Amino acid sequence: MSWWPWRQNPWFETVLEAQRRAKRRLPPSVYAALVAGSERGATPRDNTDAFAELEFAPHVAGHQAQRDLSTTVLGIPISLPVLISPTGVQAVDPEGEVAVARAAAARGTIMGLSSFASKPVEQVVEANPNTFYQLYWTGSKEQMVQRMDRARAAGAKALIATLDWSFSIGRDWGSPSIPEKLDLKAMIAMAPEAVRRPGWTLDFLRSGLPDLTAPNLQPPDGAAPTFFGAYYEWMQTPPPSWEDVEWLRQEWGGPFLLKGITRIDDAKRAVDIGADAISVSNHGGNNLDTTPATIRCLEPIANAVGSQLEVLLDGGIRRGGNVAKALALGARAVMIGRAYLWGLAANGQTGVENVLDLLRMGLDSAVLGLGHSSITELSPADLWIPSDFSRALGAPTDAPAPRRRPAASGKGAASAAKA
């Protein structure tokens, strides 16, 4: 019924419009799981709002007719400096990560696949050979080696190690009720939401309901764990030391990206253990709330280690102008999460392609207005940056240590002095 005059144009002109469409299409609990955040939600707000504090300094003439937006990340050529960040259980669309991988391949960029994904790594690499596999520090070292071996055998081009997680709990606006598996009881509980979202419901009824498992964590001799089973294993795994991170890099034996850096001293440790790239990331604001926006942390980190490894930025990207600002402050490329999930929810693979097209057009517009012929020419000189904008966390300083209330006695007193 393409003649129907009130039919909505499937193309959307901003990521915010994709989010609005996703909210209308998804069951409320599924949409709330994508919004996520933690505690008061300060960090995800700052991730997006901080970009507006940076102002462009465009030229009035001398613009370049041809502009090159391409780059490389870990040796892989990409047509625009935007990568798909790994996110878990993309059950907002029946094809999930496979649809996202196809969209990324169609637009000439890299797919990041979460170990908590809803689709197996073999299917995703088939859809996009330029796939980076993401691993949490979860389970035993033997289990981690098995998971890396599987990803390597499937053809994954690099390993992303995500370590920035402290298991924050509680959201002031409430957390969605998500079942561990879609059994009869769960389907009855979700029925009122599903009836209100017939389009989403019919798509899954046609293709099969999601089983809410993490197939990339499946042991060779057992079944894939449920998402919550995988999360429980993660919670029970002792956190890694820097020696463990170096072991992980050595075991992978290929390009290695460490995700979750917000501090200069951690970035320098990443250099020391031989990382090839880092992502300045706060887990999309889903981790420790009131961590600064990643764009605030970017320039000090890029200045400190940008000549020794590749620096990417993850967090708050909603427009092509955001991409330009990140590149101007030292990022080689950016990674997107919620932005493409809104596109996936709004219009499947085509919706993800739509999001990537919007970022490409916005970036091209910024490079044009700033008078450049290539993204490699972007620099801080293209921006007005407030004097108090950056957050140089973990920077060496000669300033006196902050004053703390002394501990009463014993071990506590020693800890306070050491701090």
Side-chain angles (χ1 to χ4, degrees):
M1 297 180 64
S2 59
W3 53 268
W4 187 250
W6 297 282
R7 183 175 180 269
Q8 185 179 54
N9 184 345
W11 191 85
F12 43 82
E13 60 181 319
T14 68
V15 171
L16 185 58
E17 173 59 21
Q19 181 178 353
R20 285 193 289 263
R21 294 187 188 186
K23 186 174 183 179
R24 290 196 297 268
R25 187 171 184 274
L26 296 175
S29 61
V30 178
Y31 175 78
L34 297 189
V35 173
S38 70
E39 298 182 2
R40 65 187 294 179
T43 295
R45 283 195 300 273
D46 196 33
N47 271 352
T48 54
D49 293 349
F51 280 99
E53 297 179 27
L54 300 169
E55 299 177 0
F56 284 125
H59 289 282
V60 71
H63 298 152
Q64 305 301 309
Q66 302 295 324
R67 295 165 298 282
D68 183 9
L69 307 184
S70 65
T71 188
T72 62
V73 172
L74 295 179
I76 296 177
I78 52 178
S79 68
L80 76 164
V82 179
L83 285 69
I84 298 296
S85 190
T87 62
V89 191
Q90 294 173 15
V92 300
D93 179 87
E95 291 193 302
E97 294 86 358
V98 172
V100 177
R102 288 175 183 151
R107 295 301 182 263
T109 194
I110 292 165
M111 170 71 183
L113 178 69
S114 172
S115 53
F116 280 26
S118 61
K119 301 295 183 184
V121 61
E122 293 81 5
Q123 290 183 20
V124 174
V125 173
E126 183 180 1
N128 187 341
N130 288 327
T131 292
F132 291 178
Y133 181 71
Q134 178 268 340
L135 188 72
Y136 292 108
W137 186 265
T138 175
S140 67
K141 285 188 173 181
E142 291 75 16
Q143 288 173 304
M144 285 183 252
V145 168
Q146 181 266 320
R147 293 159 185 169
M148 286 189 283
D149 287 346
R150 177 181 171 185
R152 189 185 302 108
K157 297 286 181 64
L159 186 74
I160 301 173
T162 302
L163 305 177
D164 61 325
W165 196 252
S166 56
F167 302 100
S168 299
I169 61 169
R171 300 178 176 103
D172 289 351
W173 56 95
S175 296
S177 176
I178 302 174
E180 184 168 9
K181 56 183 178 180
L182 280 179
D183 54 15
L184 180 61
K185 180 180 178 181
M187 286 189 282
I188 292 173
M190 277 199 72
E193 290 191 42
V195 169
R196 292 165 55 195
R197 299 293 188 267
W200 180 88
T201 303
L202 286 173
D203 280 350
F204 273 102
L205 288 176
R206 292 190 191 103
S207 60
L209 293 172
D211 62 6
L212 302 183
T213 63
N216 294 305
L217 300 180
Q218 181 174 356
D221 56 352
T226 64
F227 175 81
F228 286 107
Y231 192 80
Y232 180 76
E233 177 194 86
W234 188 17
M235 290 181 68
Q236 300 305 307
T237 304
S241 65
W242 279 105
E243 290 73 22
D244 289 326
V245 181
E246 185 172 15
W247 169 86
L248 194 67
R249 181 195 63 76
Q250 292 171 343
E251 283 293 328
W252 173 251
F256 183 83
L257 188 158
L258 184 56
K259 185 172 182 288
I261 301 289
T262 57
R263 296 172 56 103
I264 294 171
D265 50 2
D266 282 350
K268 291 181 176 180
R269 291 299 297 269
V271 172
D272 293 340
I273 62 99
D276 301 291
I278 58 173
S279 174
V280 179
S281 170
N282 54 33
H283 219 106
N286 293 329
N287 186 27
L288 195 60
D289 197 35
T290 69
T291 301
T294 51
I295 190 65
R296 299 189 190 279
C297 304
L298 173 61
E299 188 177 22
I301 290 174
N303 288 342
V305 301
S307 63
Q308 298 167 280
L309 43 62
E310 296 181 13
V311 178
L312 283 69
L313 176 114
D314 190 344
I317 300 292
R318 299 293 184 271
R319 307 176 190 279
N322 298 160
V323 180
K325 291 173 181 179
L327 270 56
L329 294 185
R332 187 177 190 89
V334 303
M335 306 178 80
I336 59 170
R338 287 186 183 90
Y340 78 80
L341 289 175
W342 302 139
L344 179 66
N347 199 21
Q349 176 183 336
T350 303
V352 180
E353 293 171 358
N354 193 157
V355 167
L356 291 170
D357 289 342
L358 291 174
L359 296 179
R360 183 192 301 275
M361 290 186 289
L363 174 60
D364 185 64
S365 177
V367 174
L368 170 64
L370 294 167
H372 298 313
S373 61
S374 169
I375 57 174
T376 60
E377 298 170 5
L378 292 165
S379 76
D382 294 310
L383 305 174
W384 184 86
I385 307 170
S387 59
D388 61 348
F389 180 79
S390 293
R391 302 290 186 270
L393 307 182
T397 177
D398 296 326
R403 292 159 70 183
R404 292 177 173 83
R405 182 183 307 230
S409 62
K411 183 179 178 181
S415 298
K418 193 173 181 180

Coordinates of all heavy atoms in Angstrom, one line a residue, residues 8-14 17 21 347 350-351 353-355 357-358 361:
Q8 N 4.5 6.4 6.9 CA 5.7 7.1 7.3 C 6.9 6.7 6.4 O 7.1 5.6 6.0 CB 6.0 6.6 8.8 CG 7.2 7.3 9.4 CD 7.4 6.8 10.8 OE1 7.6 5.7 11.1 NE2 7.5 7.8 11.7
N9 N 7.6 7.7 6.1 CA 8.9 7.5 5.4 C 9.8 6.7 6.2 O 10.1 7.1 7.3 CB 9.5 8.9 5.0 CG 10.7 8.8 4.2 OD1 11.3 7.7 4.0 ND2 11.2 9.9 3.6
P10 N 10.3 5.5 5.8 CA 11.1 4.7 6.6 C 12.5 5.4 6.9 O 13.2 5.0 7.8 CB 11.3 3.4 5.8 CG 11.0 3.8 4.4 CD 10.0 4.9 4.5
W11 N 12.9 6.3 6.0 CA 14.2 7.0 6.3 C 14.0 8.0 7.4 O 13.0 8.8 7.4 CB 14.7 7.7 5.0 CG 16.1 8.2 5.0 CD1 17.2 7.5 4.8 CD2 16.5 9.5 5.4 NE1 18.3 8.3 4.9 CE2 17.9 9.5 5.3 CE3 15.8 10.7 5.8 CZ2 18.6 10.7 5.6 CZ3 16.6 11.8 6.0 CH2 18.0 11.8 5.9
F12 N 14.9 8.1 8.3 CA 14.9 9.1 9.4 C 16.1 10.0 9.2 O 17.1 9.6 8.8 CB 14.8 8.5 10.7 CG 15.8 7.3 11.0 CD1 17.1 7.5 11.3 CD2 15.3 6.0 10.8 CE1 18.0 6.5 11.5 CE2 16.2 4.9 11.0 CZ 17.5 5.2 11.3
E13 N 15.9 11.3 9.6 CA 16.9 12.3 9.3 C 17.8 12.6 10.5 O 18.8 13.3 10.3 CB 16.2 13.6 8.9 CG 15.3 14.2 9.9 CD 14.7 15.5 9.4 OE1 15.4 16.3 8.7 OE2 13.5 15.7 9.6
T14 N 17.5 12.1 11.7 CA 18.5 12.2 12.8 C 18.4 10.9 13.6 O 17.5 10.2 13.6 CB 18.1 13.4 13.7 OG1 16.9 13.1 14.4 CG2 18.0 14.7 13.0
E17 N 15.4 10.9 15.9 CA 14.2 10.4 15.3 C 14.2 8.9 15.3 O 13.2 8.3 15.5 CB 14.0 11.0 13.9 CG 12.9 10.4 13.1 CD 11.5 10.6 13.8 OE1 11.4 11.5 14.6 OE2 10.6 9.8 13.4
R21 N 11.3 6.5 17.1 CA 10.6 5.4 16.4 C 10.9 4.1 17.1 O 10.0 3.2 17.2 CB 11.1 5.3 14.9 CG 10.7 6.5 14.1 CD 11.1 6.3 12.6 NE 10.8 7.5 11.9 CZ 10.9 7.6 10.6 NH1 11.3 6.6 9.8 NH2 10.7 8.8 9.9
N347 N 14.3 0.1 12.1 CA 14.1 -0.4 10.7 C 15.1 -1.4 10.3 O 15.6 -1.5 9.1 CB 14.2 0.8 9.7 CG 13.7 0.5 8.3 OD1 12.8 -0.4 8.2 ND2 14.1 1.3 7.3
T350 N 18.4 -1.9 7.4 CA 18.3 -0.6 6.7 C 18.4 0.6 7.7 O 19.0 1.6 7.4 CB 17.0 -0.5 5.9 OG1 17.0 -1.6 5.0 CG2 16.9 0.8 5.2
G351 N 17.9 0.4 8.9 CA 17.9 1.5 9.9 C 19.4 1.7 10.4 O 19.8 2.8 10.6
E353 N 22.1 1.1 8.5 CA 22.7 1.8 7.4 C 22.3 3.3 7.4 O 23.2 4.2 7.1 CB 22.3 1.1 6.1 CG 22.8 -0.3 5.9 CD 22.2 -1.0 4.7 OE1 21.4 -0.4 4.1 OE2 22.6 -2.2 4.5
N354 N 21.1 3.6 7.7 CA 20.6 5.0 7.8 C 21.4 5.7 8.8 O 21.8 6.9 8.6 CB 19.1 4.9 8.2 CG 18.4 6.2 8.0 OD1 17.1 6.2 7.9 ND2 19.0 7.3 8.1
V355 N 21.6 5.1 10.0 CA 22.4 5.8 11.0 C 23.8 6.1 10.6 O 24.4 7.2 10.7 CB 22.4 5.0 12.3 CG1 23.5 5.5 13.3 CG2 21.1 5.0 13.0
D357 N 24.8 6.4 7.5 CA 24.8 7.4 6.5 C 24.6 8.8 7.1 O 25.3 9.8 6.6 CB 23.6 7.2 5.5 CG 23.8 6.0 4.6 OD1 25.0 5.6 4.5 OD2 22.8 5.5 4.1
L358 N 23.8 9.0 8.1 CA 23.7 10.3 8.8 C 25.0 10.7 9.4 O 25.4 11.9 9.3 CB 22.6 10.1 9.9 CG 21.2 9.9 9.5 CD1 20.3 9.7 10.7 CD2 20.7 11.1 8.7
M361 N 27.3 11.9 6.5 CA 26.9 13.2 6.0 C 27.2 14.3 6.9 O 27.7 15.4 6.5 CB 25.4 13.2 5.6 CG 25.0 12.3 4.4 SD 23.3 12.4 3.9 CE 22.5 11.6 5.3

